[in-house]
Amino acid sequence: MDKFLHEHPVTPRTEGEKKAVVNRLKRIEGQVRGIQKMVDEDRYCVDILVQISAINAALKKVGFEVAERHVKHCVSDAVTSGQGNEAIEELMEVMKRFSK
Amino acid sequence: MDKFLHEHPVTPRTEGEKKAVVNRLKRIEGQVRGIQKMVDEDRYCVDILVQISAINAALKKVGFEVAERHVKHCVSDAVTSGQGNEAIEELMEVMKRFSK
Amino acid sequence: MDKFLHEHPVTPRTEGEKKAVVNRLKRIEGQVRGIQKMVDEDRYCVDILVQISAINAALKKVGFEVAERHVKHCVSDAVTSGQGNEAIEELMEVMKRFSK
Amino acid sequence: MDKFLHEHPVTPRTEGEKKAVVNRLKRIEGQVRGIQKMVDEDRYCVDILVQISAINAALKKVGFEVAERHVKHCVSDAVTSGQGNEAIEELMEVMKRFSK
């Protein structure tokens, strides 16, 4: 998957959409920094693992939102213009990676 | 899982161990910031999803290292002092969360 | 998710498609029986866990094929008839469950 | 992982333990057969995906029980006899596969 069908979404993200995703990622960035602090303070391993699981869950959530928008715009657009299959195969490929 | 068996690992992490984990987390933090930039630049959804999958994989790797050290120290210590079961059940509980 | 948008795929599966999926499921059924035998023979836990992981991987593969066909037919059909959103939200919901 | 540390668990499974695991696997086998029937009846893709997700969850549950017993017996036994590391590394290796 080194080459993708597009460089940008077919419908550009609005400023509001960008901000919503970036804010969630900023919160995740903060959580990752929080774990660094826990390691520095030599906190209990299980406590750290619970936090890592929480970040993974938060990232999955962001990912599913990105994927949903992708299907609603890019994939749907490809389908209506009769070029759905390539877009759908690209989608399934990335969902396989993502669900590991 | 709001209460854990310990506050700290039974064998404190060495400075070298802490540094190794923190460095990996700093790299992950950088990756999360990288995705924020991609969103800002309105990059293609599938490209973003591939990056999110990469972060998830990197976090899982750190998590498994934390878990391995936990079993080698905290759980093993509990086992040799005849109190393994509680530690093992706590371990399995967190691994269930972690493998979601 | 107790109620779904349809009872059947919008494009019925051909006999060939059904047979391909059923054959893979039969193989998975055989793998599950194989693990029962391993347990009966008191085989080593790690060996059993490797087999369970293999079945999970095989089931995921079948699932992704079912999902791909679903997007290529049912979801694409909904998109072209202007009712994509509901089908896409149903899809994302089931992919979330499936990726756990 | 073609070679494992043992052929059998260090503490043999009791008949009761075997029966409990086999019964759960029989139920899973039945669920896999159920999906074959759904495919034959050309049932809706999302309905099938929900059932596949349920089987994956059931298999994970059995796997975690096998893993817990493994840690309580085989790994603990290795730890008390001073040979924990090899057993723990084998455990982590299989948990990585299993959590995919």
Side-chain angles (χ1 to χ4, degrees), chain A residues 11-22 69 73, chain B residues 39 42:
Chain A
T11 312
R13 291 181 185 90
T14 64
E15 286 311 305
E17 282 181 309
K18 284 182 186 180
K19 206 172 166 178
V21 181
V22 169
R69 193 201 184 276
H73 292 270
Chain B
V39 174
D42 203 30

Side-chain angles (χ1 to χ4, degrees), chain A residues 19-52:
Chain A
K19 206 172 166 178
V21 181
V22 169
N23 281 349
R24 299 181 72 149
L25 289 167
K26 273 189 203 303
R27 220 170 306 138
I28 289 169
E29 192 193 325
Q31 287 176 286
V32 176
R33 258 196 309 271
I35 301 183
Q36 292 168 36
K37 198 162 162 274
M38 291 175 81
V39 174
D40 261 337
E41 294 169 351
D42 203 31
R43 291 277 292 281
Y44 187 46
C45 332
V46 175
D47 201 353
I48 291 174
L49 282 168
V50 167
Q51 297 308 317
I52 292 180

Side-chain angles (χ1 to χ4, degrees), chain C residues 13-32:
Chain C
R13 292 180 184 89
T14 64
E15 286 312 305
E17 282 182 310
K18 284 183 185 178
K19 206 173 166 178
V21 181
V22 170
N23 280 348
R24 299 182 72 149
L25 289 167
K26 274 190 201 303
R27 220 170 307 138
I28 290 168
E29 192 194 326
Q31 287 176 286
V32 176

Side-chain angles (χ1 to χ4, degrees), chain B residues 38-52:
Chain B
M38 290 175 82
V39 174
D40 260 338
E41 293 169 349
D42 203 30
R43 291 278 291 282
Y44 187 45
C45 333
V46 174
D47 202 352
I48 292 173
L49 283 168
V50 167
Q51 297 309 318
I52 293 180

Side-chain angles (χ1 to χ4, degrees), chain C residues 4-90:
Chain C
F4 305 111
L5 293 178
H6 299 278
E7 293 281 308
H8 299 283
V10 292
T11 313
R13 292 180 184 89
T14 64
E15 286 312 305
E17 282 182 310
K18 284 183 185 178
K19 206 173 166 178
V21 181
V22 170
N23 280 348
R24 299 182 72 149
L25 289 167
K26 274 190 201 303
R27 220 170 307 138
I28 290 168
E29 192 194 326
Q31 287 176 286
V32 176
R33 259 197 308 271
I35 301 182
Q36 291 169 36
K37 198 162 163 276
M38 289 175 83
V39 174
D40 260 337
E41 294 168 351
D42 203 31
R43 291 278 290 281
Y44 187 46
C45 333
V46 174
D47 202 352
I48 291 174
L49 282 168
V50 168
Q51 297 308 318
I52 292 180
S53 305
I55 299 181
N56 261 329
L59 272 171
K60 286 239 160 173
K61 223 173 154 185
V62 175
F64 272 113
E65 281 171 23
V66 171
E68 182 167 331
R69 192 201 185 274
H70 175 60
V71 183
K72 284 188 174 169
H73 292 271
C74 308
V75 178
S76 292
D77 189 80
V79 167
T80 47
S81 63
Q83 299 165 319
N85 278 6
E86 212 178 346
I88 291 165
E89 279 151 27
E90 188 188 59

